[in-house]
Amino acid sequence: MSLIRVLLAILFPPLSVIGKGCGSFLIVLLLTFCGWVPGVIAALVILNNPN
């Protein structure tokens, strides 16, 4: 996980996980619309997953 991805996850979570697939992007986008903090947490969890 690079520093740029972490900063991107904090500033705009859906953009940071766009390379992980459409499902991850949509989940993080939905959580970001519900609230900024859930979107950031989900993005960081997805980015920390090695798969």
Side-chain angles (χ1 to χ4, degrees):
M1 182 167 58
S2 69
L3 180 64
I4 294 172
R5 290 256 184 190
V6 172
L7 291 175
L8 202 55
I10 293 170
L11 296 176
F12 190 65
L15 194 58
S16 67
V17 297
I18 202 161
K20 296 287 186 173
C22 183
S24 297
F25 176 76
L26 291 177
I27 290 171
V28 173
L29 184 66
L30 180 67
L31 287 171
T32 303
F33 283 146
C34 292
W36 177 74
V37 173
V40 170
I41 292 171
L44 290 173
V45 167
I46 290 171
L47 288 176
N48 278 327
N49 190 2
N51 295 341

